[in-house]
Amino acid sequence: MPENKPKIHPFQIVPDPSEEHTFDEYYSPEELDVCPLCFGAGMEVVPGKGARPCVCRKQKTHSSLLDKARIPRRYSECHFNNFKVFNPSQDRASRYASHLAMNYPAVERGAIFMGSVGVGKTHLAVSVIKGLTERGFPCLFYELGALIKEIQSSYNPNTKSSEFAVLSPILETEVLVLDEIGATKPTDWMRDTLAHIINTRYNDKKLTIFTTNYLDERRVEREELLEDRIGVRLRSRIREMSKTIIINGQDYRLTFDRIAPIKNS
C-alpha cells in the first residue's frame, strides 16, 4: 500500500497588500531594528496564501531614493498635501504637477514652472520628486547656481571630484529638477554647460522639470526674458520637452510675522 504522505502545498507569490495594512501600523523604525512582519528577510509570509514583498522593503527603498534626490532641508517638508492654493493659476500648476507624479512614465513632457518669487514653483517641483520616489523612481534636485559652482570646483586639482562625476548623475537620472534657471548671470561657459545638460536629456527623452523667475513676455519695460538669460535655442528645446506653467500670485513670505519695531521711550 502506498504511504500516506502529507500533501505539500506549493509556495505562491500573493498580491501586494497595500490596501490591507501598512508598515507604520506595526512599529516605527526608531523602535525596532528588525521588521516584525518579515524579520529582516524582505518577504512577508501570508498564512494560507504564500509570500509577498514586505512593506518594510518599500519604505526602505523610498527613504534611500529620497536621500539620493538631494532635496535641500529648506524644502524637506514640501508635498502636495501642504501646497496652498490662492488662485486659479496655482490650482492649475498643482494639478499638472500631480499629473506628472501619478502618471509617470506615461507622460510626454515635463514642466517649467514660471513666476515671480514665492508663488510655489520649487514647492511643486519638490512635490513631484516626493511623489515619484514614493513610487520607486530615482530623481535628482539641483539648484542651477549650486550645480555650476560644483562643476567649477571639480576643476580644482585638490578636489577628488571631476566634471564627469558631477554631470553623470544629472544626465542619467530618470527625473531631474533644475531649480532657478536663469537666476545666475549667464556666461558663455554656463550656457554651454546648461546646453549640454538640456540637449542630452532632450535627446534621451528624460523627464525634466525646471523653475524660473523669468517669463516669456515682458510685464514691464526692459524686463529680461528667459530667452535673454539662456538663449533662444535652449528656450525652444525646453518648450518642447517641458510644458510651460505660469504661476501668478504674491510672495507667500510676505505673510510671515514681522518683528514690531522698538519704540523709543
Short mmCIF file of all heavy atoms in Angstrom, two decimals, residues 65-97:
data_model
loop_
_atom_site.label_atom_id
_atom_site.label_comp_id
_atom_site.label_asym_id
_atom_site.label_seq_id
_atom_site.Cartn_x
_atom_site.Cartn_y
_atom_site.Cartn_z
N LEU A 65 15.86 56.43 -1.98
CA LEU A 65 15.70 57.28 -3.16
C LEU A 65 15.55 58.74 -2.76
O LEU A 65 16.05 59.64 -3.44
CB LEU A 65 14.47 56.83 -3.96
CG LEU A 65 14.60 55.50 -4.70
CD1 LEU A 65 13.26 55.12 -5.32
CD2 LEU A 65 15.67 55.58 -5.77
N LEU A 66 14.84 58.99 -1.66
CA LEU A 66 14.63 60.36 -1.21
C LEU A 66 15.94 60.99 -0.76
O LEU A 66 16.22 62.16 -1.03
CB LEU A 66 13.60 60.38 -0.08
CG LEU A 66 12.88 61.69 0.20
CD1 LEU A 66 12.18 62.21 -1.05
CD2 LEU A 66 11.87 61.51 1.32
N ASP A 67 16.77 60.21 -0.08
CA ASP A 67 18.08 60.71 0.36
C ASP A 67 18.96 61.04 -0.85
O ASP A 67 19.67 62.05 -0.85
CB ASP A 67 18.79 59.67 1.23
CG ASP A 67 18.12 59.51 2.59
OD1 ASP A 67 17.38 60.42 2.99
OD2 ASP A 67 18.34 58.45 3.23
N LYS A 68 18.90 60.21 -1.87
CA LYS A 68 19.74 60.42 -3.06
C LYS A 68 19.23 61.56 -3.94
O LYS A 68 19.96 62.03 -4.81
CB LYS A 68 19.80 59.13 -3.88
CG LYS A 68 20.53 58.00 -3.17
CD LYS A 68 20.51 56.73 -4.01
CE LYS A 68 21.22 55.59 -3.30
NZ LYS A 68 21.18 54.33 -4.08
N ALA A 69 17.99 62.00 -3.72
CA ALA A 69 17.42 63.06 -4.55
C ALA A 69 18.02 64.43 -4.25
O ALA A 69 17.82 65.37 -5.03
CB ALA A 69 15.90 63.10 -4.37
N ARG A 70 18.70 64.57 -3.12
CA ARG A 70 19.40 65.82 -2.77
C ARG A 70 18.43 67.01 -2.57
O ARG A 70 18.76 68.15 -2.89
CB ARG A 70 20.42 66.20 -3.85
CG ARG A 70 21.55 65.22 -4.03
CD ARG A 70 22.43 65.64 -5.19
NE ARG A 70 22.90 67.02 -5.03
CZ ARG A 70 24.12 67.36 -4.63
NH1 ARG A 70 25.00 66.42 -4.37
NH2 ARG A 70 24.47 68.61 -4.54
N ILE A 71 17.27 66.75 -2.03
CA ILE A 71 16.34 67.84 -1.75
C ILE A 71 16.88 68.66 -0.58
O ILE A 71 17.20 68.11 0.47
CB ILE A 71 14.94 67.30 -1.40
CG1 ILE A 71 14.35 66.55 -2.60
CG2 ILE A 71 14.00 68.41 -0.96
CD1 ILE A 71 13.05 65.85 -2.30
N PRO A 72 17.02 69.98 -0.73
CA PRO A 72 17.53 70.80 0.36
C PRO A 72 16.63 70.73 1.60
O PRO A 72 15.41 70.52 1.49
CB PRO A 72 17.53 72.23 -0.23
CG PRO A 72 17.55 72.02 -1.70
CD PRO A 72 16.77 70.76 -1.96
N ARG A 73 17.21 70.89 2.76
CA ARG A 73 16.45 70.80 4.01
C ARG A 73 15.32 71.83 4.04
O ARG A 73 14.27 71.59 4.63
CB ARG A 73 17.38 71.04 5.21
CG ARG A 73 18.32 69.88 5.49
CD ARG A 73 19.12 70.13 6.75
NE ARG A 73 18.25 70.27 7.92
CZ ARG A 73 18.68 70.63 9.13
NH1 ARG A 73 19.97 70.90 9.30
NH2 ARG A 73 17.85 70.72 10.13
N ARG A 74 15.52 72.96 3.43
CA ARG A 74 14.50 74.01 3.38
C ARG A 74 13.19 73.48 2.81
O ARG A 74 12.10 73.92 3.18
CB ARG A 74 15.02 75.19 2.56
CG ARG A 74 14.00 76.28 2.26
CD ARG A 74 13.53 76.98 3.52
NE ARG A 74 14.62 77.64 4.21
CZ ARG A 74 14.50 78.26 5.40
NH1 ARG A 74 13.32 78.26 6.00
NH2 ARG A 74 15.53 78.84 5.95
N TYR A 75 13.28 72.53 1.88
CA TYR A 75 12.09 72.04 1.20
C TYR A 75 11.73 70.60 1.60
O TYR A 75 10.93 69.95 0.93
CB TYR A 75 12.31 72.09 -0.32
CG TYR A 75 12.71 73.46 -0.82
CD1 TYR A 75 14.00 73.70 -1.29
CD2 TYR A 75 11.81 74.52 -0.79
CE1 TYR A 75 14.38 74.97 -1.73
CE2 TYR A 75 12.17 75.78 -1.23
CZ TYR A 75 13.46 76.00 -1.70
OH TYR A 75 13.82 77.26 -2.12
N SER A 76 12.32 70.12 2.69
CA SER A 76 12.11 68.72 3.07
C SER A 76 10.67 68.41 3.44
O SER A 76 10.23 67.26 3.35
CB SER A 76 13.04 68.35 4.24
OG SER A 76 12.74 69.16 5.38
N GLU A 77 9.90 69.42 3.86
CA GLU A 77 8.51 69.18 4.25
C GLU A 77 7.52 69.46 3.12
O GLU A 77 6.30 69.33 3.31
CB GLU A 77 8.16 70.04 5.47
CG GLU A 77 9.03 69.78 6.69
CD GLU A 77 8.95 68.33 7.16
OE1 GLU A 77 7.83 67.78 7.14
OE2 GLU A 77 10.00 67.77 7.52
N CYS A 78 8.01 69.88 1.97
CA CYS A 78 7.10 70.21 0.86
C CYS A 78 6.44 68.96 0.30
O CYS A 78 7.11 67.95 0.07
CB CYS A 78 7.88 70.92 -0.25
SG CYS A 78 8.46 72.57 0.16
N HIS A 79 5.16 69.04 0.09
CA HIS A 79 4.41 67.96 -0.56
C HIS A 79 3.11 68.54 -1.09
O HIS A 79 2.73 69.67 -0.76
CB HIS A 79 4.14 66.82 0.42
CG HIS A 79 4.14 65.47 -0.26
ND1 HIS A 79 3.37 65.20 -1.37
CD2 HIS A 79 4.82 64.32 0.02
CE1 HIS A 79 3.58 63.95 -1.75
NE2 HIS A 79 4.46 63.38 -0.93
N PHE A 80 2.42 67.77 -1.91
CA PHE A 80 1.17 68.25 -2.47
C PHE A 80 0.15 68.58 -1.39
O PHE A 80 -0.64 69.50 -1.52
CB PHE A 80 0.58 67.21 -3.43
CG PHE A 80 1.37 67.03 -4.69
CD1 PHE A 80 1.99 65.82 -4.96
CD2 PHE A 80 1.50 68.06 -5.60
CE1 PHE A 80 2.72 65.65 -6.13
CE2 PHE A 80 2.23 67.90 -6.77
CZ PHE A 80 2.84 66.69 -7.03
N ASN A 81 0.16 67.80 -0.31
CA ASN A 81 -0.87 67.98 0.72
C ASN A 81 -0.71 69.25 1.54
O ASN A 81 -1.62 69.62 2.29
CB ASN A 81 -0.92 66.76 1.65
CG ASN A 81 0.42 66.47 2.32
OD1 ASN A 81 1.31 67.31 2.35
ND2 ASN A 81 0.57 65.26 2.84
N ASN A 82 0.43 69.95 1.43
CA ASN A 82 0.55 71.22 2.15
C ASN A 82 0.86 72.39 1.21
O ASN A 82 1.33 73.43 1.64
CB ASN A 82 1.60 71.13 3.26
CG ASN A 82 2.98 70.74 2.75
OD1 ASN A 82 3.27 70.81 1.57
ND2 ASN A 82 3.83 70.31 3.67
N PHE A 83 0.58 72.19 -0.09
CA PHE A 83 0.71 73.29 -1.04
C PHE A 83 -0.54 74.15 -0.97
O PHE A 83 -1.66 73.66 -1.15
CB PHE A 83 0.90 72.76 -2.46
CG PHE A 83 1.02 73.84 -3.50
CD1 PHE A 83 2.18 74.60 -3.60
CD2 PHE A 83 -0.03 74.11 -4.37
CE1 PHE A 83 2.30 75.60 -4.56
CE2 PHE A 83 0.08 75.11 -5.33
CZ PHE A 83 1.25 75.85 -5.42
N LYS A 84 -0.38 75.43 -0.69
CA LYS A 84 -1.52 76.32 -0.52
C LYS A 84 -1.89 76.96 -1.86
O LYS A 84 -1.05 77.53 -2.54
CB LYS A 84 -1.21 77.40 0.52
CG LYS A 84 -0.93 76.82 1.91
CD LYS A 84 -0.76 77.91 2.94
CE LYS A 84 -0.43 77.35 4.30
NZ LYS A 84 -1.47 76.42 4.79
N VAL A 85 -3.16 76.84 -2.21
CA VAL A 85 -3.68 77.39 -3.46
C VAL A 85 -4.47 78.65 -3.16
O VAL A 85 -5.44 78.62 -2.40
CB VAL A 85 -4.58 76.35 -4.17
CG1 VAL A 85 -5.24 76.97 -5.40
CG2 VAL A 85 -3.75 75.13 -4.56
N PHE A 86 -4.07 79.77 -3.78
CA PHE A 86 -4.73 81.05 -3.56
C PHE A 86 -5.40 81.58 -4.83
O PHE A 86 -6.18 82.51 -4.77
CB PHE A 86 -3.74 82.09 -3.04
CG PHE A 86 -3.15 81.75 -1.70
CD1 PHE A 86 -1.85 81.27 -1.60
CD2 PHE A 86 -3.90 81.91 -0.54
CE1 PHE A 86 -1.31 80.96 -0.37
CE2 PHE A 86 -3.35 81.61 0.70
CZ PHE A 86 -2.06 81.12 0.79
N ASN A 87 -5.07 80.99 -5.98
CA ASN A 87 -5.65 81.49 -7.22
C ASN A 87 -5.70 80.37 -8.26
O ASN A 87 -5.08 79.31 -8.07
CB ASN A 87 -4.85 82.69 -7.75
CG ASN A 87 -3.39 82.35 -8.01
OD1 ASN A 87 -3.09 81.51 -8.86
ND2 ASN A 87 -2.48 83.00 -7.29
N PRO A 88 -6.42 80.56 -9.36
CA PRO A 88 -6.56 79.51 -10.38
C PRO A 88 -5.24 79.04 -10.99
O PRO A 88 -5.10 77.87 -11.32
CB PRO A 88 -7.45 80.16 -11.44
CG PRO A 88 -8.24 81.18 -10.68
CD PRO A 88 -7.31 81.72 -9.64
N SER A 89 -4.27 79.95 -11.14
CA SER A 89 -3.00 79.54 -11.75
C SER A 89 -2.26 78.56 -10.85
O SER A 89 -1.62 77.61 -11.34
CB SER A 89 -2.12 80.77 -12.04
OG SER A 89 -1.65 81.35 -10.84
N GLN A 90 -2.31 78.76 -9.55
CA GLN A 90 -1.69 77.82 -8.63
C GLN A 90 -2.42 76.49 -8.62
O GLN A 90 -1.81 75.43 -8.48
CB GLN A 90 -1.64 78.43 -7.22
CG GLN A 90 -0.65 79.58 -7.10
CD GLN A 90 -0.71 80.25 -5.75
OE1 GLN A 90 -1.79 80.41 -5.16
NE2 GLN A 90 0.43 80.66 -5.23
N ASP A 91 -3.74 76.54 -8.77
CA ASP A 91 -4.51 75.30 -8.83
C ASP A 91 -4.15 74.51 -10.08
O ASP A 91 -3.95 73.29 -10.03
CB ASP A 91 -6.01 75.63 -8.83
CG ASP A 91 -6.87 74.39 -8.86
OD1 ASP A 91 -6.72 73.53 -7.97
OD2 ASP A 91 -7.71 74.26 -9.77
N ARG A 92 -4.05 75.19 -11.23
CA ARG A 92 -3.68 74.50 -12.47
C ARG A 92 -2.28 73.91 -12.37
O ARG A 92 -2.02 72.79 -12.82
CB ARG A 92 -3.77 75.48 -13.65
CG ARG A 92 -5.19 75.84 -14.07
CD ARG A 92 -5.19 76.56 -15.41
NE ARG A 92 -4.51 77.85 -15.33
CZ ARG A 92 -5.11 78.99 -15.03
NH1 ARG A 92 -6.42 79.02 -14.78
NH2 ARG A 92 -4.42 80.12 -14.99
N ALA A 93 -1.36 74.68 -11.78
CA ALA A 93 0.02 74.20 -11.64
C ALA A 93 0.07 72.97 -10.74
O ALA A 93 0.78 72.00 -11.03
CB ALA A 93 0.89 75.31 -11.07
N SER A 94 -0.68 73.00 -9.64
CA SER A 94 -0.71 71.87 -8.72
C SER A 94 -1.28 70.63 -9.39
O SER A 94 -0.79 69.51 -9.20
CB SER A 94 -1.53 72.23 -7.48
OG SER A 94 -1.60 71.14 -6.59
N ARG A 95 -2.32 70.83 -10.20
CA ARG A 95 -2.94 69.69 -10.89
C ARG A 95 -1.98 69.06 -11.90
O ARG A 95 -1.90 67.83 -12.02
CB ARG A 95 -4.23 70.14 -11.58
CG ARG A 95 -5.38 70.43 -10.63
CD ARG A 95 -6.59 70.96 -11.39
NE ARG A 95 -7.67 71.30 -10.48
CZ ARG A 95 -8.59 70.43 -10.05
NH1 ARG A 95 -8.55 69.17 -10.46
NH2 ARG A 95 -9.55 70.81 -9.23
N TYR A 96 -1.24 69.90 -12.62
CA TYR A 96 -0.32 69.34 -13.60
C TYR A 96 0.85 68.64 -12.90
O TYR A 96 1.30 67.57 -13.35
CB TYR A 96 0.21 70.42 -14.54
CG TYR A 96 1.03 69.85 -15.66
CD1 TYR A 96 0.41 69.18 -16.72
CD2 TYR A 96 2.42 69.93 -15.67
CE1 TYR A 96 1.16 68.61 -17.74
CE2 TYR A 96 3.17 69.37 -16.69
CZ TYR A 96 2.53 68.72 -17.72
OH TYR A 96 3.28 68.15 -18.73
N ALA A 97 1.34 69.22 -11.82
CA ALA A 97 2.42 68.58 -11.07
C ALA A 97 1.95 67.22 -10.52
O ALA A 97 2.70 66.23 -10.58
CB ALA A 97 2.87 69.48 -9.93
#
